[in-house]
Amino acid sequence: MTNGSAGILPRQAIDAMAQTGAIASGEAFDADQIQPASLDLRLGRVAHRIRASFLPGPDVSVADKLEDVTLHTIDLTRGAVLETGCVYVVPLMEALDLPADVAASTNPKSSTGRLDIFTRVIADRAGAFDRVPAGYRGPLYAEISPRTFPALVRTGSRLSQIRFRRGAATLSDAELTALHRAEPLVSPGNAVIDAGLHLSIDLETSDPSGVIGYRGKRHTGVIDVDRKDGYDVADFWEPVTVRPGRGLILDPNEFYILVSREAVQVPPSCAAEMVPFDPLVGEFRVHYAGFFDPGFGHGAAGAGARAVLEVRSHEVPFILDHGQVVGRLVYERMAEAPDTLYGSGLRSNYQAQRLKLSKHFRAA
């Protein structure tokens, strides 16, 4: 474990928690399951197709609630397709017995978000998704709802990740400003810091193709979430182009992959998280998968990386203009520096990225 300092727990502390039983699993961890500041969570043996999403509430376990809402149960041990528009709950392989001073939060993995698989984690007696209180002891469950592409998953597939924290970890705007002065967090241009680091949208490109993003196709084939470089882009995505000086009109309920104008850096002393929805910047959701690990885009492990944004408009068409602010990146201090950074010795798929689809698609 760490020395008791407040902050996000690093890879070596997560490993120590597994050794002491604070994180338990019936199966040994995969070799690359622990990330610099998070742990990937693995799907268990079954998926429950449910009739409606739910939170268990303060006096109810998820298992008890499932008895009331399950339509049927699917065996995942040999793989199964989760259909678009349906909601599933999957018991996860990992369970927790957290110390009294350690809480956790969860998020979809980056590849999960880029496939538009809406995923969030539920704990027993939870009053909110993706939040695990300090001292929690019990199982974890993933709620999964593919939105654009049917998804083939199996026992051991990793769609979500969990981050552990002790005490207050979020950097204030003053602290974030001082950090940016010492170690620039974005380029080009000046950092806009207000309740986090503001990021804007890039709708211009020097690429001769003029492609500034992608829109997911409907009625496609199935995507195996564990298959890397397995699919042609054209079978699942339409390229998006914008005339110079014109905005991009987001069609309601369509799914887009876009990219930030700024290149982002996360120093080894910090982790970061994208605020997934901010009603002040428009009626759309940005970035389903929000964890940025220490070393993302950093000079020690890369040379800056754009934030790839998963974007969906709500209810009405919405115009995005080049340079428009679309989200905020909140930085948190690490309890101690991780012994491995993102992109250093890990199979990090998105280091030094620009506009990039998930790892499942073959590079053009």
Side-chain angles (χ1 to χ4, degrees):
M1 292 290 290
T2 64
N3 57 13
S5 300
I8 302 298
L9 301 191
R11 195 212 66 81
Q12 62 271 26
I14 296 172
D15 183 59
M17 291 173 67
Q19 300 301 321
T20 61
I23 305 169
S25 175
E27 301 286 340
F29 282 174
D30 298 339
D32 59 346
Q33 192 174 343
I34 306 179
Q35 304 299 319
S38 62
L39 171 71
D40 293 349
L41 298 172
R42 298 171 295 181
L43 301 184
R45 299 176 64 85
V46 298
H48 303 284
R49 165 80 192 284
I50 60 174
R51 52 192 172 92
S53 176
F54 66 86
L55 281 169
D59 302 314
V60 182
S61 70
V62 175
D64 287 342
K65 194 75 172 181
L66 283 171
E67 292 183 2
D68 296 330
V69 300
T70 296
L71 299 175
H72 60 90
T73 299
I74 303 166
D75 183 4
L76 296 184
T77 58
R78 297 186 178 181
V81 174
L82 306 185
E83 302 287 352
T84 57
C86 299
V87 184
Y88 305 85
V89 169
V90 180
L92 296 172
M93 294 172 65
E94 290 74 32
L96 301 178
D97 185 2
L98 293 178
D101 62 344
V102 174
S105 60
T106 61
N107 234 305
K109 288 176 59 63
S110 184
S111 295
T112 306
R114 296 184 204 203
L115 292 178
D116 199 20
I117 303 175
F118 186 71
T119 303
R120 49 194 181 180
V121 170
I122 319 171
D124 283 345
R125 299 171 296 280
F129 294 105
D130 289 328
R131 295 293 180 266
V132 182
Y136 175 78
R137 182 178 186 180
L140 297 171
Y141 301 80
E143 179 189 287
I144 304 168
S145 182
R147 303 293 302 276
T148 298
F149 312 123
L152 174 61
V153 303
R154 57 187 57 79
T155 299
S157 294
R158 290 143 55 176
L159 301 183
S160 303
Q161 54 193 338
I162 188 166
R163 181 172 278 179
F164 303 93
R165 60 175 52 78
R166 180 185 293 108
T170 301
L171 296 184
S172 67
D173 284 350
E175 291 171 321
L176 196 57
T177 299
L179 178 62
H180 176 66
R181 288 172 179 162
E183 199 165 5
L185 302 178
V186 295
S187 60
N190 297 322
V192 178
I193 296 174
D194 182 8
L197 179 68
H198 286 206
L199 294 181
S200 61
I201 200 76
D202 186 2
L203 300 182
E204 297 180 355
T205 178
S206 59
D207 191 301
S209 69
V211 173
I212 54 90
Y214 295 91
R215 180 169 57 193
K217 291 184 175 182
R218 297 288 185 173
H219 314 297
T220 67
V222 173
I223 292 183
D224 184 337
V225 300
D226 299 318
R227 185 181 176 191
K228 186 176 180 179
D229 299 325
Y231 302 97
D232 289 331
V233 172
D235 291 337
F236 294 86
W237 299 97
E238 297 173 348
V240 175
T241 59
V242 175
R243 291 168 57 191
R246 297 295 185 95
L248 170 64
I249 298 177
L250 301 176
D251 291 323
N253 297 316
E254 295 296 319
F255 181 68
Y256 298 82
I257 296 291
L258 302 171
V259 70
S260 69
R261 184 175 60 164
E262 299 84 4
V264 176
Q265 293 200 50
V266 181
S269 61
C270 296
E273 183 174 357
M274 178 77 80
V275 175
F277 174 72
D278 187 343
L280 297 179
V281 299
E283 293 301 318
F284 56 91
R285 179 187 174 97
V286 173
H287 213 284
Y288 286 57
F291 285 167
F292 288 68
D293 271 335
F296 179 86
H298 190 260
R306 304 296 179 97
V308 169
L309 308 171
E310 301 96 31
V311 179
R312 180 183 291 278
S313 184
H314 295 305
E315 304 300 335
V316 298
F318 188 86
I319 298 175
L320 282 180
D321 293 312
H322 177 70
Q324 182 173 342
V325 173
V326 293
R328 292 179 290 116
L329 200 58
V330 175
Y331 282 71
E332 298 182 272
R333 66 180 56 85
M334 297 294 297
E336 65 176 287
D339 57 11
T340 303
L341 298 179
Y342 187 89
S344 297
L346 297 172
R347 291 186 292 177
S348 304
N349 294 291
Y350 306 118
Q351 185 66 297
Q353 69 181 358
R354 295 182 65 84
L355 177 66
K356 187 174 182 178
L357 296 170
S358 73
K359 63 186 179 183
H360 306 89
F361 298 98
R362 302 184 189 101

